[in-house]
């Protein structure tokens, strides 16, 4: 079953702009992870944020987590054409040791 | 080497065929997973193996049969599939079953078409 909803479903920006994707989920979680998937390819792990963390950075990525609102956001700064992909949030609900559940995904298109 | 290798990359099979998807990792991970992904949808968990034992089966039809011959290999045996089973099948692994702090690494997937 699907745990997360992502917003927007699709996002088109120009190179150099920032891209923000939001994820909302339904139940309490141990952690939340963001993944990237190029068309028809496997998923690449981007960043993991634990339930007791509020913000995390990795290169041009910034992730926030608000457990009171059951939401997370992924910010990609200074986007590049190579960032074009689908981005998924994935949650590990409390009490489910290995049931990582993916959100609906955001398709990001970065144009030159 | 953070790599999960899946073969074949593409598979076309008839509804009466028997085929297998294979997955291999050499990271010493003790948990391995099968996910199914339909076009423009998120991946959905099918099976979890922990220390070579099946620990989670997400009510997957018996026409899908997983097997973990050893800690590095995971197979998915396919028999009497339906056209609606056509999808991208993703294998993944993590250090152990408890994902509290562990990253899960995915392979590139096997595209399955059932005709």
């Amino acid at each position: 079953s699907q745990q997360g909803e992502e917003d927007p479903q699709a996002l088109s920006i120009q190179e150099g702009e920032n891209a923000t994707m939001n994820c909302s989920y339904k139940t309490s979680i141990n952690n939340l992870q963001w993944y990237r998937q190029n068309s028809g390819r496997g998923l690449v792990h981007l960043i993991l944020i634990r339930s007791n963390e509020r913000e995390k950075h990795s290169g041009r990525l910034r992730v926030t987590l608000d457990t009171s609102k059951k939401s997370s956001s992924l910010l990609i700064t200074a986007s590049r054409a190579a960032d074009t992909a689908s981005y998924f949030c994935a949650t590990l609900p409390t009490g489910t040791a290995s049931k990582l559940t993916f959100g609906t995904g955001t398709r990001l298109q970065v144009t030159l | 080497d953070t790599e999960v290798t899946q073969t074949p990359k593409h598979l076309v099979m008839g509804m009466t065929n028997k085929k297998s998807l294979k997955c291999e990792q050499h990271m010493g991970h003790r948990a391995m997973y099968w996910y199914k992904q339909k076009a423009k949808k998120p991946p959905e968990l099918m099976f979890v193996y922990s220390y070579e034992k099946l620990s989670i089966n997400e009510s997957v039809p018996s026409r899908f049969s997983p097997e973990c011959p050893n800690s590095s290999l995971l197979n998915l045996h396919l028999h009497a599939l339906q056209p609606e089973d056509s999808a991208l099948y993703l294998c993944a692994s993590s250090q152990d079953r408890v994902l509290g702090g562990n990253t899960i690494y995915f392979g590139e997937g096997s595209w399955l078409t059932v005709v």
Side-chain angles (χ1 to χ4, degrees):
Chain A
S1 63
Q2 204 166 279
Q3 157 80 312
E5 294 279 337
E6 289 181 62
D7 169 54
Q9 287 188 334
L11 180 60
S12 184
I13 59 173
Q14 290 193 314
E15 205 171 46
E17 294 180 335
N18 295 342
T20 299
M21 289 159 259
N22 301 296
C23 169
S24 60
Y25 55 91
K26 297 173 187 172
T27 63
S28 63
I29 60 171
N30 284 321
N31 67 51
L32 184 145
Q33 305 181 38
W34 285 91
Y35 286 82
R36 164 199 166 120
Q37 185 177 36
N38 285 36
S39 181
R41 306 290 297 276
L43 290 105
V44 175
H45 183 266
L46 296 177
I47 200 163
L48 179 153
I49 186 164
R50 291 185 173 79
S51 59
N52 61 353
E53 296 175 313
R54 291 296 165 259
E55 188 170 312
K56 218 161 176 186
H57 297 255
S58 177
R60 293 184 295 114
L61 307 180
R62 174 178 168 255
V63 168
T64 63
L65 179 64
D66 187 335
T67 52
S68 66
K69 294 181 180 176
K70 292 188 171 58
S71 67
S72 174
S73 68
L74 170 67
L75 168 68
I76 304 174
T77 59
S79 63
R80 305 166 182 167
D83 294 328
T84 295
S86 290
Y87 292 82
F88 293 93
C89 67
T91 53
L92 186 65
T94 306
T96 62
S98 44
K99 286 191 179 185
L100 193 65
T101 307
F102 286 82
T104 51
T106 293
R107 290 189 302 281
L108 175 65
Q109 175 79 40
V110 182
T111 55
L112 295 170
Chain B
D1 179 16
T2 55
E3 193 171 280
V4 176
T5 305
Q6 291 188 242
T7 55
K9 288 188 166 43
H10 298 272
L11 177 63
V12 179
M13 61 185 289
M15 289 188 283
T16 58
N17 291 160
K18 282 186 183 179
K19 297 285 185 183
S20 298
L21 305 179
K22 296 185 184 301
C23 175
E24 190 168 4
Q25 57 87 13
H26 293 290
M27 296 178 276
H29 289 175
R30 303 315 300 266
M32 296 186 77
Y33 312 78
W34 280 114
Y35 278 81
K36 173 183 176 178
Q37 186 178 25
K38 301 281 277 185
K40 297 188 178 180
K41 295 289 186 183
E44 294 182 349
L45 183 64
M46 299 174 72
F47 302 104
V48 180
Y49 270 82
S50 175
Y51 290 83
E52 298 148 55
K53 288 186 169 36
L54 182 65
S55 63
I56 294 176
N57 176 343
E58 289 287 271
S59 303
V60 178
S62 60
R63 57 186 185 268
F64 295 92
S65 174
E67 178 199 18
C68 190
N70 61 55
S71 60
S72 300
L73 294 173
L74 184 66
N75 299 322
L76 186 63
H77 302 300
L78 314 170
H79 175 53
L81 295 194
Q82 303 296 312
E84 58 265 28
D85 296 321
S86 299
L88 178 66
Y89 288 83
L90 294 159
C91 175
S93 71
S94 63
Q95 193 163 1
D96 61 43
R97 192 174 74 89
V98 178
L99 288 179
N102 291 326
T103 297
I104 186 169
Y105 295 91
F106 282 84
E108 289 290 318
S110 292
W111 280 103
L112 174 67
T113 303
V114 182
V115 296

